[in-house]
Amino acid sequence: MFIFNDKDSLEAFLNPLINQKKTIGFVPTMGALHEGHQSLIKRSVAENEITVISIFVNPTQFNNTEDLEKYPRTLDQDIDKVKEINDLILIYAPTVEDIYGKSPIAEHFNFDGLELQMEGKQRPGHFDGVGTIIKKLFATVKPTRAYFGEKDFQQLQIIKKLVSKEKLPVKIVGCPIHRASSGLAMSSRNERLSADAKEKAAFIYKVLQEAKEQFQQRSAKEVIDFVYTTFEKEPEFELEYFEIADEETLLSCIEKDPHKKYRGFITAFIENIRLIDNIALY
Ligand code: PAF
């Protein structure tokens, strides 16, 4: 197992391989690895000669100190989970100082408005933090391909935008949401749910599936109303938002356009844990 804690040693290892034109697959994570991450890692291993995973809880993308403090940090278990897949994967687990120097500050980005919708509205500055860390990590790892889950669909679109605006030589690969057998989308935050809440949280996906079915016949407004009314009957949940938006622009669907692809995006709390999910509505 190759574990690097600083970018200089990772670069010293990678640069000769890059010079030999080896393909590098990259899976950026914040750790607390689950089966969703494992499926991204397996895909990278299948498609590239070398795979690098970063494990770094990025402070600049948290707009809530408590959320940052409580974010699960499980490096030893994460290393074991990577070993289960393959012993030759490179793990980059840097310190905050290695990434940011003395002061962790985010760069400010214009992602053509993608950053102003949904998660961007609820978590001001979040996507500046994501853009900053991804740009820094890509500069160090110089990946051929980088893998991201569609659970964070807005993040995925923003990273594609970052790559196109900054003309970065990397292919972004979006991977389907990995779900537990109950339907609950895999997330590091699920670790913090009680067994009971984990079971109940599968309700989020059930509502999304029902919304998808309804969207074939009904207007966006009717489907949105249905989701809000359904959540009102479930006092254990607090629905932060449900939106139907165009996949490309992430702008809300006011009137259906048959040429556009829409997705339903949801964020809800259970046991004070914020869970996000989405579903293609086509
Ligand atoms: O999705 C995540 O885990 C993080 O936002 C990412 C992409 C690793 C950046 O810190």
Side-chain angles (χ1 to χ4, degrees):
M1 188 97 264
F2 301 89
I3 302 172
F4 303 86
N5 299 117
D6 64 281
K7 59 169 148 332
D8 292 345
S9 57
L10 177 64
E11 279 182 330
F13 188 93
L14 282 176
N15 283 344
L17 300 166
I18 293 168
N19 291 338
Q20 292 166 37
K21 304 259 178 291
K22 300 271 187 210
T23 53
I24 299 180
F26 180 39
V27 184
T29 81
M30 297 206 297
L33 300 184
H34 50 68
E35 285 169 48
H37 293 116
Q38 284 177 307
S39 73
L40 302 183
I41 298 168
K42 283 180 190 158
R43 182 148 174 203
S44 173
V45 168
E47 295 179 353
N48 301 281
E49 290 162 288
I50 295 151
T51 286
V52 181
I53 302 164
S54 61
I55 297 179
F56 178 65
V57 181
N58 173 35
T60 63
Q61 71 185 73
F62 286 81
N63 58 325
N64 176 324
T65 334
E66 194 189 337
D67 196 23
L68 172 61
E69 275 162 14
K70 290 198 171 154
Y71 202 87
R73 288 161 174 85
T74 54
L75 187 59
D76 291 343
Q77 285 142 267
D78 291 345
I79 292 170
D80 288 343
K81 284 184 186 160
V82 176
K83 270 192 200 154
E84 275 170 28
I85 299 173
N86 180 325
D87 223 8
L88 298 172
I89 294 168
L90 315 187
I91 297 182
Y92 176 39
T95 59
V96 174
E97 195 165 351
D98 183 55
I99 295 282
Y100 286 105
K102 288 270 171 271
S103 43
I105 292 174
E107 186 179 335
H108 183 64
F109 293 94
N110 172 353
F111 295 121
D112 293 345
L114 293 177
E115 75 282 20
L116 304 175
Q117 308 303 323
M118 300 180 288
E119 292 299 285
K121 273 187 212 154
Q122 301 297 336
R123 306 178 66 190
H126 170 65
F127 289 119
D128 279 340
V130 171
T132 302
I133 186 62
I134 292 301
K135 197 172 149 183
K136 284 176 181 289
L137 291 170
F138 282 0
T140 301
V141 177
K142 302 177 192 70
T144 319
R145 300 182 187 86
Y147 297 81
F148 295 88
E150 287 185 346
K151 182 178 76 67
D152 298 295
F153 193 85
Q154 185 172 10
Q155 168 173 279
L156 172 64
Q157 297 300 63
I158 279 177
I159 289 165
K160 285 183 182 165
K161 182 67 78 179
L162 172 78
V163 164
S164 99
K165 284 202 146 188
E166 307 256 340
K167 301 189 176 46
L168 305 176
V170 49
K171 181 177 164 32
I172 301 302
V173 184
C175 304
I177 299 175
H178 210 84
R179 298 185 181 279
S181 54
S182 66
L184 175 64
M186 295 280 181
S187 163
S188 304
R189 288 196 168 85
N190 296 353
E191 294 284 305
R192 291 171 54 201
L193 296 174
S194 67
D196 183 44
K198 231 181 236 179
E199 221 170 274
K200 287 188 176 135
F203 171 74
I204 296 173
Y205 184 51
K206 289 205 181 75
V207 178
L208 285 181
Q209 285 175 303
E210 177 67 29
K212 177 175 180 153
E213 216 172 293
Q214 293 203 10
F215 192 66
Q216 311 316 310
Q217 317 292 337
R218 297 194 180 173
S219 69
K221 185 182 177 313
E222 284 170 324
V223 177
I224 292 167
D225 287 347
F226 155 77
V227 171
Y228 275 87
T229 317
T230 307
F231 269 89
E232 270 161 26
K233 292 180 209 144
E234 300 292 329
E236 275 162 292
F237 288 91
E238 188 200 320
L239 179 60
E240 188 171 86
Y241 66 79
F242 172 73
E243 285 209 21
I244 296 179
D246 174 358
E247 267 194 5
E248 290 304 315
T249 61
L250 301 179
L251 292 174
S252 298
C253 167
I254 309 296
E255 213 168 296
K256 282 188 204 172
D257 175 341
H259 305 293
K260 287 188 172 159
K261 287 181 165 173
Y262 294 105
R263 257 176 202 263
F265 294 87
I266 196 162
T267 295
F269 288 85
I270 183 166
E271 287 183 343
N272 238 357
I273 312 295
R274 190 171 187 273
L275 301 177
I276 74 170
D277 201 348
N278 68 82
I279 193 166
L281 298 175
Y282 49 87

